[in-house]
Amino acid sequence: MTPSRTGVVIATRDRAPRLASTLDHLLALPERPEILVVDNASSDDTPALLARHHPRVRTLRLPANRGALARTEGVRALDTPYVAFSDDDSWWAPGALERAARHLDAHPRLGLLSARTLVGPAAEPDPLNDVLSGSPLGPAEDLPGVQVLGFLACACVVRRDAYLDAGGFHPVLFFGGEETLLAYDLAARGWGVTHCPDVVAHHHPPPAPPASRAGRGALFRRNALLTDWLRRPLPHALARTRDLAAEARHDPQARSALRQALVRLPAALRARRPLPPYLEEAARALDGAAR
């Protein structure tokens, strides 16, 4: 195996103990990937941990928290043809990165590969695995797996050129549910986005307190609505806004999501670029499957 074929980018902020465990797993991989940690302006001992215990790991320290855009900074800093993303609580199974590289080698149009994700010490399948495997978009002759327009950011491998061609994760969203928009943008530029269950990632998220879960839920709902305004037809975006506004009358989480979305809406409208018709049809098929 060639150590430099696939690099790993980890975006982290203030979770040094979990990052240390993740790095131990990644450094033990037989592929020996180049690893780059992008530190989103951590205030804990993340920099000291990296310098003291992981001198093999490259570090890019950002002066401010850039959310999901930290991954783009990492992709730019690496020169490997393929880049795998991990979070500070996720890592790749032995051999997974080599399998992903073989898929990317064999399929030049493949821009992003979504892995099968196993959660926690019991390695329980993430429910998203079944959603992706059952995608109504089906397979394509020149791509592995099944075509999708969604993925889990901490369990995907991208072709570096494709990721940069699509612009990476979008600044309007910042963080939370940012994957669908990148999948849209890759597909709109002709890149394939697929789910390949033979590539495996492990995810060990920490238990989240109820308040944190509510805040995260509002963030995901905000970004789902902004994604609609950025790429979907106006009637669709307006309908989704009306739906969220109706929920906001009795749901504090929906109220927070709507308020946050309205603050970012002018920026979303400036960056609005509707999907081409064939891709809008695919997005509608996925909407129907979700319902």
Side-chain angles (χ1 to χ4, degrees):
M1 296 182 184
T2 305
S4 61
R5 292 178 77 211
T6 303
V8 178
V9 167
I10 305 172
T12 188
R13 177 175 167 84
D14 290 339
R15 298 214 296 183
R18 289 192 172 272
L19 175 62
S21 176
T22 291
L23 289 173
D24 288 341
H25 286 280
L26 291 173
L27 289 167
L29 290 177
E31 295 96 328
R32 297 179 57 243
E34 181 176 7
I35 301 169
L36 174 63
V37 174
V38 185
D39 182 3
N40 257 327
S42 290
S43 58
D44 66 359
D45 63 346
T46 292
L49 165 83
L50 291 165
R52 186 167 57 246
H53 297 295
H54 295 287
R56 266 183 56 197
V57 174
R58 286 179 59 190
T59 304
L60 177 60
R61 182 161 170 76
L62 302 182
N65 182 9
R66 301 202 65 206
L69 273 68
R71 299 189 188 108
T72 303
E73 298 294 339
V75 172
R76 290 194 181 114
L78 287 180
D79 58 6
T80 53
Y82 312 134
V83 179
F85 292 131
S86 289
D87 284 349
D88 46 29
D89 56 9
S90 72
W91 53 86
W92 295 91
L97 297 182
E98 182 63 18
R99 276 190 287 276
R102 287 200 294 266
H103 283 311
L104 288 154
D105 286 344
H107 303 89
R109 192 169 71 85
L110 181 59
L112 183 147
L113 181 155
S114 169
R116 180 164 60 99
T117 309
L118 303 179
V119 181
E124 296 286 345
D126 190 302
L128 184 61
N129 295 337
D130 288 340
V131 175
L132 296 174
S133 294
S135 168
L137 304 185
E141 289 185 0
D142 62 339
L143 296 171
V146 62
Q147 297 177 98
V148 294
L149 287 175
F151 58 94
L152 190 62
C154 70
C156 74
V157 184
V158 300
R159 187 182 302 275
R160 183 177 182 273
D161 289 348
Y163 180 89
L164 296 176
D165 179 49
F169 291 106
H170 204 285
V172 168
L173 302 189
F174 187 71
F175 179 76
E178 66 272 19
E179 296 93 341
T180 297
L181 182 54
L182 177 57
Y184 284 168
D185 289 349
L186 283 163
R189 298 188 71 85
W191 295 105
V193 181
T194 70
H195 176 60
C196 295
D198 62 324
V199 179
V200 176
H202 292 273
H203 189 201
H204 286 229
S212 173
R213 286 196 295 270
R216 191 173 178 84
L219 198 62
F220 275 74
R221 294 169 79 174
R222 177 198 82 183
N223 284 347
L225 182 60
L226 288 170
T227 297
D228 288 336
W229 279 103
L230 282 158
R231 298 292 182 263
R232 304 296 298 275
L234 285 176
H236 177 91
L238 286 166
R240 297 290 78 77
T241 304
R242 285 195 298 268
D243 291 345
L244 188 60
E247 294 178 49
R249 296 173 188 161
H250 54 80
D251 182 350
Q253 186 186 102
R255 197 154 49 245
S256 175
L258 181 62
R259 184 169 57 248
Q260 293 179 51
L262 291 175
V263 169
R264 292 173 179 259
L265 186 56
L269 292 174
R270 288 192 297 272
R272 178 173 168 76
R273 190 172 68 246
L275 299 176
Y278 74 91
L279 196 51
E280 173 57 28
E281 183 178 349
R284 286 181 181 274
L286 289 166
D287 290 343
R291 285 196 294 271

